[in-house]
Amino acid sequence: MSNVKKLNKGYEASFSKGSGCNRVRINRRFKTKTEALAFIAEQTLKHNSNGKLFRRRLLISAYLKYWLKFEKNNISEETLHTYKTTINHVQLVLPRIKMYEINRRIIQSAITLLSQRYAHETVRKDVSHLKVMFRAAVRMGDIHKNPMEDITVPTDRFRQKSIDEKVMPESDFKKIKNYLLNYDYHEKDCNRLVVLLIIFTGIRVGEALGLSVENVDFKNNSILINQSWKTITKTVGETKTPNSVRKLPVQSKVLQKMKNWRYLGHTTPDGSNGKLFFQTFDGRFLQPASINACYQGLQKKLKIVGNYSIHTVRHTIASLLLEKGADIVQVSRLLGHSSPKITATYYLGLTPDKGLNKRRTMLDMLE
């Protein structure tokens, strides 16, 4: 019988299978319970009665399914959904390749094909999932070397968004902010109100939709982000990272708009028709797609050139703050990133309408 036991420091995983002289016993210590459970799952897979020969002859997609059966208890429901997407992608580009046939050249060709069909971030997740699976396969002795080492995700220049598509010009951004701040909100303007909060705080869409009534502090003009709406499961869950739990200041005028809107539903701002602040008055939950559609509808209404998604609000806010000299650590905390490195990697950039002037200034230094 296998089990995981909590120690004073860390956890001990005990794997046991068989009986008598054929009995296998393995004990290992780990820092976290997740690592200990993953070890038990791997050993269960390794010592399965079907044996190594059976697993080596599985198709890549079949092996991934087989491995997930033992790992699913250690993976969140949202992540499990992305693994299932990876299985579909593997079936598409590696339909007949078996585990014993795989090598780096075959994998790189498959990843290149995927990058021509799907967004860069989608393929990056596929690569991440396959790395984990093949790493486990090496540990179990099913393959000798991880074929995912040094695999790169090619950038399709026709699919890759330019800085002009990720960051809205400051003048247009201010136009939307002013419009939303002076708009007279009605009962059916819930989506627009969510956009108002996002554009003034930079929070994620899921964080806005998961905002509970009790986490809106009208007295101190702030909100507490400690949960997020999960689109796949259609439930409220944990934030994206532990650092995403944060308290943020909100302009009093924005909160007043939110308070007035709740009064329209015949409920006090600190009372609740439901757990979530932005639930509609008839009890329906909002969806990220409707928030994005609302934001893009505003752009058309205000005759803003481009087609910016609601997530680009975070890119725009980060770029504007960094350009104006804000500390990158504080910007990272504002956005709820796991580390400033994420902020630097994905958000550090120049706004489109100022970048040309800065480059011109640099070149003028050579004169």
Side-chain angles (χ1 to χ4, degrees), residues 7 9 11 45 85 88 126 159 189 198 253 290 296 349:
L7 306 175
K9 289 186 178 180
Y11 294 82
L45 188 60
T85 301
N88 292 334
D126 289 338
R159 296 185 65 89
D189 288 321
I198 290 173
K253 194 171 180 180
S290 64
Q296 292 182 334

Side-chain angles (χ1 to χ4, degrees), residues 248-267:
L248 297 173
V250 185
Q251 280 193 26
S252 58
K253 194 171 180 180
V254 173
L255 286 178
Q256 188 61 50
K257 295 283 184 183
M258 292 167 59
K259 183 187 288 187
N260 293 343
W261 177 77
R262 285 198 66 83
Y263 275 127
L264 292 174
H266 309 294
T267 178

Side-chain angles (χ1 to χ4, degrees), residues 155-172:
T155 300
D156 188 335
R157 62 190 181 90
F158 295 107
R159 296 185 65 89
Q160 187 77 358
K161 287 187 176 181
S162 67
I163 186 68
D164 295 328
E165 296 173 295
K166 288 182 178 179
V167 180
M168 182 180 285
E170 185 175 4
S171 56
D172 289 337

